[in-house]
Amino acid sequence: MELNLNELQIDALKEIGNIGAGNAATALSQLINKKVDMSVPQLDILEFSDMIKRVGNEDDEVVAVLLKVFGDIQGNILFLVKNEEAQKFFDTLMFGFSNINEEMFYSMFQEIGNILGNSYLNAVSQITNLSLLLFHQ
Amino acid sequence: MARVLIVDDAAFMRMMLKDILTKNGYEVIGEAPNGAKAVEIYKAERPDVVTMDITMPEMDGIQAVKEIKAFDPNAKIIMCSAMGQQAMVMEAIKSGARDFIVKPLQPERVLEALKKVLG
């Protein structure tokens, strides 16, 4: 894909990503009641098919929540966690609850994806003045 | 003991909210997974307060607030949504919601909002 961005534009996109992710990390920390660290976001312009290689191993089994962004900008947010990490989320958030079924497992990850995606977009929307909405299937 | 109706399409969120409320002396009289069901339960049960999500199938939370307020202008509704963008908060308040809590839910914030609208 031909997308010519200058240094300043790349820097701006990184900073927008950084603010969005920072807000999402804060939300995650409140959700699980634990400290959450994050690395500096990396910006890549690449083929869609190369994305998998960029984020992990093709053979890893993961829990994935896909959120559609609509409004002033259309796009996708994908929340990915490896299965063993997903289990940790579940154990942390479901601690003390009994009768937890598979439906609750799905519901929990949909809601985590929803909250993180929205907190990301809330921050991005605030600094860009764009109206951004989420739709999760 | 105040009677609360919980409205959220995520079963997980309803469970968490119910846990916070019942542990703090509130009675959860019903749970609705969408706005249409929320309006129906409100009319039948007349709860003291409603916690209302926004993005839901069938009927969203904003529309549900409008319909509940049309039925009972004194209805006390607290929005609980991950969508904290200002335009959405304003629309909810304009529609008649008394407060707006952005998810993730902090138990203290939820209890404070309930106390305020019921006080």
Side-chain angles (χ1 to χ4, degrees):
Chain A
M1 181 176 67
E2 209 51 56
L3 185 63
N4 290 313
L5 297 172
N6 64 32
E7 279 293 311
L8 188 68
Q9 288 169 320
I10 288 175
D11 212 53
L13 281 178
K14 270 192 192 171
E15 187 52 17
I16 287 170
N18 193 31
I19 290 169
N23 212 44
T26 306
L28 181 60
S29 157
Q30 290 170 344
L31 194 66
I32 60 176
N33 219 355
K34 286 189 165 75
K35 189 166 170 282
V36 173
D37 282 328
M38 65 171 216
S39 60
V40 178
Q42 188 178 331
L43 181 92
D44 295 302
I45 296 166
L46 39 72
E47 298 274 337
F48 195 73
S49 53
D50 291 334
M51 194 186 70
I52 306 292
K53 273 181 251 160
R54 180 67 195 79
V55 293
N57 190 327
E58 280 178 52
D59 300 325
D60 284 345
E61 272 208 28
V62 295
V63 173
V65 186
L66 178 65
L67 303 125
K68 296 258 174 215
V69 180
F70 61 102
D72 291 338
I73 293 179
Q74 265 101 62
N76 296 291
I77 293 179
L78 183 60
F79 173 63
L80 282 178
V81 269
K82 281 190 195 164
N83 277 5
E84 55 265 35
E85 298 301 313
Q87 189 60 47
K88 286 189 210 164
F89 267 110
F90 193 72
D91 293 344
T92 304
L93 285 167
M94 296 296 179
F95 183 78
F97 290 98
S98 51
N99 302 323
I100 300 300
N101 54 20
E102 196 181 23
E103 186 206 343
M104 200 54 89
F105 184 85
Y106 276 86
S107 175
M108 184 191 80
F109 277 102
Q110 277 171 353
E111 196 56 19
I112 293 174
N114 184 34
I115 289 173
L116 297 189
N118 267 297
S119 59
Y120 186 99
L121 289 184
N122 288 345
V124 172
S125 157
Q126 209 173 348
I127 49 169
T128 58
N129 267 327
L130 295 166
S131 168
L132 303 165
L133 299 165
L134 267 192
F135 184 78
H136 58 104
Q137 286 117 329
Chain B
M1 190 193 280
R3 299 163 68 250
V4 189
L5 167 62
I6 297 175
V7 188
D8 199 305
D9 61 331
F12 166 70
M13 217 59 227
R14 296 198 301 270
M15 186 182 80
M16 295 307 246
L17 204 43
K18 190 176 184 176
D19 184 59
I20 296 172
L21 297 181
T22 49
K23 274 183 182 157
N24 287 279
Y26 291 93
E27 186 193 354
V28 176
I29 56 103
E31 296 180 30
N34 61 59
K37 192 80 191 156
V39 175
E40 185 190 315
I41 297 178
Y42 190 92
K43 288 179 177 173
E45 297 287 338
R46 301 291 289 252
D48 299 311
V49 61
V50 182
T51 70
M52 183 76 74
D53 186 17
I54 292 184
T55 315
M56 291 182 291
E58 313 243 353
M59 183 195 291
D60 72 25
I62 301 278
Q63 186 58 34
V65 169
K66 288 178 181 160
E67 297 203 7
I68 289 173
K69 291 297 271 192
F71 170 75
D72 175 10
N74 293 318
K76 298 181 175 77
I77 305 166
I78 300 170
M79 306 309 284
C80 292
S81 171
M83 216 162 18
Q85 293 175 40
Q86 204 168 2
M88 194 53 79
V89 177
M90 294 303 291
E91 199 186 347
I93 300 293
K94 250 190 358 219
S95 305
R98 296 279 185 93
D99 204 344
F100 197 110
I101 303 176
V102 181
K103 291 177 189 170
L105 296 178
Q106 308 286 95
E108 315 79 57
R109 175 77 182 88
V110 175
L111 296 170
E112 184 194 297
L114 281 167
K115 223 194 255 172
K116 208 174 77 192
V117 302
L118 289 166

